[in-house]
């Protein structure tokens, strides 16, 4: 029975929250498979605005079991705060299942990220400084502590003492900071352990049984394909793998369990922070789209960089993720433009025409976009609910994207409201 992956195809902020929320109705399980509390969606519960960063928004639906699977890194203090906030608004959080294999974000991860990013100066990546990158680094170095370690104080203390010796040496000798006290950490984390225990489970087995019993499972990616640690624009990437293949690892299901992979893309592009962005634009038009689309960081308020939809990058995302459908959000933001440029190729610094996403960082850095201008439309499309309600030019725009990328468009966003979507059947006869 169906397991569906929903992920971002660009640099995050594609409007995945809404797509996930929309599809959640038909799901039994909604699963986070990577990242940490650096994601984030805003949900409204009991009239209160809540910012969830770790817990899948599926928690709001009584019929859904929300799962935080193996591939996620967890700051237990943060997770318990989110649970308290949800509980405070009357949401039943008892169904949440957290994998015992998740790696823990420890106090020294936050401390180290702060000082190392400062140390890097203008080369800093502009991370969220929540200890996520350092926690993943320790996982790869095999010195990470996991959720399951919380339930054996002796093991927890032993592992902590070994790792803390090195971390404190770095903090004190390299960065001139105060050392962290292992006893304080043990006391704090043992206290948190008691509160987390009811939610901890073998989530891989849970999902395996769910699929065997014909339940619907949605695997929800955070960030986006071009921020993937391996497949994104390294080093300007996140510290985990949002791509579809990683959903299997992160959730503990096999590739054959996946039926659908839905890729969410904006009708244009945005990027936060540094890194290559070939279809970027600046000036009045960028400012206009930024304001119209509300393209400012959710927590930082930082203006996002703006560009045209990059069909080369999108085709790359389609290939990397085996996309079966596209969700195109924020089409309404493009209303009122006479012509809409779309990026259909790159030109390298040497003048070569590229029809694919270059693997080499320097090539991508210097690539300029080849743009095709499609006719725009004047009408406000916020009220459109069926494909036929859209202006001819908007339909032609969707058709062009689907054909070029070679993936059908299943859902289109025409406004921020929950109901401002259109189920479409824009097919993709042949990849360009
Ligand atoms: P995520 O980071 O990819 O999960 O993105 P979010 O779900 O946080 O969406 C970012 C913002 O875009 C939210 O404020 C949404 O309400 C808004 N949004 C989503 N879809 C649309 C759309 O089709 N049109 C417009 N105008 N806004 C949208």
């Amino acid at each position: 029975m169906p397991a569906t992956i929903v992920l971002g195809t660009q640099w995050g902020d594609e409007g995945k929250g809404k797509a996930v929320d929309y599809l959640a109705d038909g799901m039994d399980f909604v699963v986070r498979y990577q990242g940490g509390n650096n994601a984030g969606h805003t949900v409204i519960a009991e009239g209160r605005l809540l910012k969830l960063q770790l817990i899948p928004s599926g928690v709001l639906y009584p019929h859904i079991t929300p799962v935080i699977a193996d591939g996620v890194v967890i700051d237990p203090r943060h997770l318990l705060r989110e649970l308290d906030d949800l509980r405070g608004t009357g949401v039943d959080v008892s169904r949440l299942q957290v994998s015992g294999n998740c790696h823990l974000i420890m106090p020294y991860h936050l401390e180290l990220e702060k000082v190392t990013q400062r140390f890097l100066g203008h080369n800093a990546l502009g991370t969220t400084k929540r200890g996520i990158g350092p926690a993943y680094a320790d996982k790869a170095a095999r010195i990470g502590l996991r959720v399951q370690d919380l339930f054996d104080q002796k093991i927890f203390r032993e592992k902590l003492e070994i790792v803390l010796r090195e971390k404190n040496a770095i903090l004190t000798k390299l960065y001139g900071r105060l050392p962290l006290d292992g006893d304080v950490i043990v006391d704090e984390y043992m206290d948190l352990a008691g509160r987390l225990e009811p939610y901890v489970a073998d989530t891989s087995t849970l999902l395996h049984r769910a699929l065997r019993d014909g339940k619907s499972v949605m695997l929800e990616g955070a960030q986006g394909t071009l921020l993937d640690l391996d497949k994104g624009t390294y080093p300007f990437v996140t510290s985990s793998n949002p791509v579809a293949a990683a959903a299997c690892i992160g959730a503990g299901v096999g590739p054959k369990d996946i039926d659908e992979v839905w890729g969410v893309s904006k009708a244009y592009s945005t990027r936060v922070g540094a890194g290559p962005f070939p279809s970027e634009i600046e000036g009045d038009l960028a400012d206009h789209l930024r304001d119209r689309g509300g393209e400012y960081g959710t927590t930082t308020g930082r203006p996002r960089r703006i560009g045209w939809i990059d069909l080369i990058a999108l085709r790359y995302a389609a290939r990397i993720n085996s996309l079966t459908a596209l969700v195109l959000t924020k089409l309404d933001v493009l209303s009122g433009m006479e012509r809409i440029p779309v990026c259909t190729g790159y030109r390298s610094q040497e003048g070569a025409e590229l029809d694919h996403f270059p693997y080499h960082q320097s090539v991508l850095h210097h690539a300029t976009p080849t743009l095709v201008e499609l006719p725009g439309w004047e009408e406000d499309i916020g009220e459109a609910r069926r494909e036929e309600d859209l202006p001819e030019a908007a339909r032609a725009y969707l058709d062009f994207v689907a054909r070029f990328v070679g993936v059908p468009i299943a859902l289109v966003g025409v406004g921020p409201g929950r109901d401002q979507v259109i189920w479409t059947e824009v097919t993709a006869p042949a990849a360009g």
Side-chain angles (χ1 to χ4, degrees), residues 54-137:
L54 206 49
I55 301 175
S57 49
V59 71
L60 298 178
Y61 299 84
H63 70 277
I64 289 177
T65 303
V67 177
I68 298 178
D70 312 5
V72 176
V73 290
I74 292 180
D75 182 337
R77 293 173 292 192
H78 182 94
L79 176 56
L80 288 165
R81 243 192 331 267
E82 272 190 26
L83 282 168
D84 286 344
D85 279 353
L86 282 165
R87 232 185 263 112
T89 57
V91 176
D92 174 13
V93 293
S94 62
R95 287 164 285 114
L96 178 70
Q97 305 288 301
V98 178
S99 169
N101 285 341
C102 289
H103 277 249
L104 290 169
I105 296 174
M106 303 294 291
Y108 45 82
H109 291 136
L110 286 109
E111 199 60 23
L112 280 166
E113 188 165 19
K114 228 184 314 174
V115 287
T116 50
Q117 286 294 308
R118 209 177 293 151
F119 186 74
L120 287 169
H122 73 277
N123 289 320
L125 289 171
T127 68
T128 51
K129 300 195 184 65
R130 293 182 180 150
I132 293 159
Y136 276 117

Side-chain angles (χ1 to χ4, degrees), residues 9 15 98 111 159 238 255 272 306 365 367 406 408:
T9 59
V98 178
E111 199 60 23
K159 289 189 176 180
T238 195
V272 174
I306 308 282
H365 259 290

Side-chain angles (χ1 to χ4, degrees), residues 210-384:
L211 289 166
R212 187 197 57 195
D213 295 344
K215 306 280 189 214
S216 299
V217 174
M218 172 160 53
L219 307 165
E220 174 189 352
Q223 292 91 38
T225 300
L226 302 177
L227 291 175
D228 185 275
L229 178 59
D230 291 277
K231 293 281 157 276
T233 54
Y234 190 90
F236 304 99
V237 291
T238 195
S239 46
S240 63
N241 295 100
V243 295
C248 293
I249 302 171
V253 301
K256 285 188 170 175
D257 287 325
I258 309 297
D259 301 76
E260 297 276 340
V261 186
W262 286 41
V264 185
S265 167
K266 275 189 244 212
Y268 51 97
S269 307
T270 64
R271 171 160 205 168
V272 174
F277 185 1
S279 68
E280 182 169 19
I281 53 166
E282 283 170 13
D284 289 350
L285 203 47
D287 294 344
H288 163 78
L289 290 173
R290 185 179 298 113
D291 284 342
R292 232 183 120 93
E295 301 297 353
Y296 297 89
T298 337
T299 42
T300 57
R302 254 200 308 177
R304 294 177 181 146
R305 297 160 66 192
I306 308 282
W308 302 122
I309 196 166
D310 182 340
L311 298 182
I312 293 292
L314 196 52
R315 196 158 66 186
Y316 170 72
R319 169 162 70 83
I320 293 294
N321 294 303
S322 303
L323 293 187
T324 57
L326 278 170
V327 176
L328 206 74
T329 63
K330 296 194 161 184
L331 187 66
D332 53 300
V333 175
L334 297 179
S335 288
M337 291 181 51
E338 209 171 304
R339 306 198 65 78
I340 305 170
V342 297
C343 173
T344 56
Y346 300 148
R347 197 166 297 116
S348 77
Q349 203 174 18
E350 292 74 32
E353 301 290 339
L354 306 176
D355 64 357
H356 64 278
F357 198 72
Y359 82 94
H360 202 290
Q361 187 187 351
S362 306
V363 179
L364 188 64
H365 259 290
H366 296 114
T368 49
T370 309
L371 299 172
V372 168
E373 291 198 343
L374 301 179
W377 58 93
E378 269 305 314
E379 300 90 322
D380 181 349
I381 56 172
E383 298 300 316

Side-chain angles (χ1 to χ4, degrees), residues 12-18 40 329-333 413-416 420:
D13 308 314
E14 296 94 348
K16 291 181 297 293
K18 197 167 120 182
T329 63
K330 296 194 161 184
L331 187 66
D332 53 300
V333 175
V414 291
Q420 288 184 292

Side-chain angles (χ1 to χ4, degrees), residues 157-204:
R157 186 180 284 279
E158 261 173 35
K159 289 189 176 180
L160 180 65
E161 275 170 6
I162 294 167
V163 72
L164 205 53
R165 224 175 293 144
E166 188 214 3
K167 303 295 181 194
N168 274 339
I170 296 172
L171 280 171
T172 56
K173 299 200 173 109
L174 195 56
Y175 295 109
R177 309 288 294 184
L178 290 172
L180 299 178
D181 184 333
D183 288 335
V184 172
I185 298 177
V186 172
D187 285 349
E188 185 188 8
Y189 274 62
M190 286 305 113
D191 177 47
L192 300 170
R195 297 174 56 203
L196 269 185
E197 197 163 14
Y199 305 101
V200 177
D202 173 357
T203 54
S204 171

